[in-house]
Amino acid sequence: MAKVTLKRLDDKNHFLGTNEAGNELHFDTDPPSGSGQGVGPMQAVAMAIGGCSGIDIVDILRKSRQNLQRFDCTIEYEREGTPALFTQIHVHYTLTGGLHPDKVRRAVDLSINKYCSVAKIVGKTASITVSYSVNGTHYTL
């Protein structure tokens, strides 16, 4: 069984999360309830969609012998209700290199719709839309 730990670092809402390998992530809220020294938990979930799908996309493109030189991802989202669940998420990937657009489309589609565990979890409460650009040309999934 995997394990992560969380330790409160101040008298507000600054926490340090650590995984078994010793990698760290700071969680916090903005002042006045927090000290603004980390990402909010829901921001971390949004980032995790990019990280999870990004790992998939990079691996799929590597296996497809694509020459990926740069990968960036932007995630925009809306939340509502109490608890404030995600309702809409848009993920945009920006890729450059010696890439065939059809292979990028396949990698993005496989990740978001099949492999990315975070997208599968978040997709239960939110509509997820996806776009991507390959060497400056914009596409929608």
Side-chain angles (χ1 to χ4, degrees):
M1 180 176 288
K3 179 174 100 175
V4 296
T5 60
L6 198 67
K7 177 181 179 181
R8 186 173 178 209
L9 298 179
D10 64 13
D11 63 346
K12 294 190 176 193
N13 288 322
H14 184 196
F15 293 87
L16 177 65
T18 308
N19 70 7
E20 293 172 311
N23 298 305
E24 300 176 339
L25 177 62
H26 288 260
F27 294 93
D28 206 344
T29 56
D30 291 330
S33 64
S35 52
Q37 297 184 60
V39 298
M42 293 301 280
Q43 292 171 329
V45 173
M47 289 177 193
I49 293 171
C52 181
S53 62
I55 290 167
D56 292 339
I57 292 165
V58 169
D59 284 348
I60 293 166
L61 291 174
R62 183 179 296 120
K63 290 175 185 173
S64 300
R65 294 184 169 85
Q66 297 296 291
N67 182 16
L68 177 63
Q69 295 173 353
R70 184 170 177 164
F71 176 96
D72 295 308
C73 181
T74 303
I75 301 101
E76 297 176 304
Y77 57 88
E78 291 183 18
R79 297 170 56 197
E80 61 184 49
T82 302
L85 301 177
F86 292 112
T87 55
Q88 294 181 7
I89 297 175
H90 181 75
V91 184
H92 180 79
Y93 305 98
T94 303
L95 301 94
T96 59
L99 303 166
H100 191 284
D102 289 341
K103 293 197 183 237
V104 173
R105 179 180 184 80
R106 178 181 174 272
V108 170
D109 182 48
L110 282 172
S111 177
I112 288 294
N113 293 310
K114 185 174 182 181
Y115 296 126
C116 178
S117 303
V118 180
K120 289 293 184 190
I121 292 168
V122 173
K124 294 195 180 288
T125 64
S127 168
I128 301 175
T129 58
V130 178
S131 62
Y132 60 98
S133 61
V134 179
N135 298 319
T137 303
H138 188 80
Y139 302 90
T140 302
L141 187 61

